[in-house]
Amino acid sequence: QVQLVESGGGLVQAGGSVRLSCAASGIVFSINIMRWFRQAPGKQRELVADITSGGITNYADSVKGRFTISRDNSKNTVYLQMSSLKPEDTAVYYCNADIISLGGRLVNYWGQGTQVTVSA
């Protein structure tokens, strides 16, 4: 069974930095797009950034220039480096990935979420 396991959340002051990690465990043939979403209290879940297997990235306008998504294909891991954090970045951050099994089946998976709280 494939799982996405996130780590790295916590409490940080405004202007600070945090790095999130998300590793895919289980039997994985390959991983296509990997994504980070976030959901703040009372708001809809939104896409923060995504990255293709070839390293092409895409960012939400609200995080451009402050967040960097990267991945290590050898470790089936995606990262989100968050800098110049603002209180409005406070949310639960979720990892998401399109994973292909050995049988060739593509399935979309979600991580359990990790809380990031930015204090003013």
Side-chain angles (χ1 to χ4, degrees):
Q1 181 71 14
V2 174
Q3 286 186 315
L4 296 178
V5 180
E6 300 147 352
S7 60
L11 176 63
V12 62
Q13 288 188 330
S17 298
V18 168
R19 189 174 88 148
L20 306 182
S21 300
C22 171
S25 64
I27 300 175
V28 174
F29 177 70
S30 67
I31 304 177
N32 288 351
I33 298 176
M34 302 186 83
R35 309 171 183 88
W36 286 99
F37 286 80
R38 68 184 180 186
Q39 187 166 19
K43 295 189 177 181
Q44 288 189 328
R45 191 172 297 188
E46 63 173 354
L47 178 66
V48 175
D50 57 42
I51 183 168
T52 68
S53 57
I56 297 173
T57 59
N58 174 61
Y59 296 93
D61 288 343
S62 59
V63 306
K64 280 181 182 176
R66 300 188 299 120
F67 290 10
T68 301
I69 189 171
S70 61
R71 62 191 284 174
D72 184 335
N73 292 331
S74 68
K75 297 179 179 179
N76 291 334
T77 299
V78 63
Y79 306 96
L80 186 67
Q81 177 68 47
M82 304 187 292
S83 302
S84 301
L85 283 162
K86 306 174 182 180
E88 50 263 44
D89 294 317
T90 295
V92 178
Y93 284 74
Y94 296 92
C95 175
N96 176 274
D98 295 332
I99 297 177
I100 299 174
S101 66
L102 291 179
R105 185 176 174 219
L106 189 150
V107 177
N108 183 263
Y109 290 91
W110 288 92
Q112 80 283 1
T114 185
Q115 177 71 46
V116 174
T117 302
V118 184
S119 63

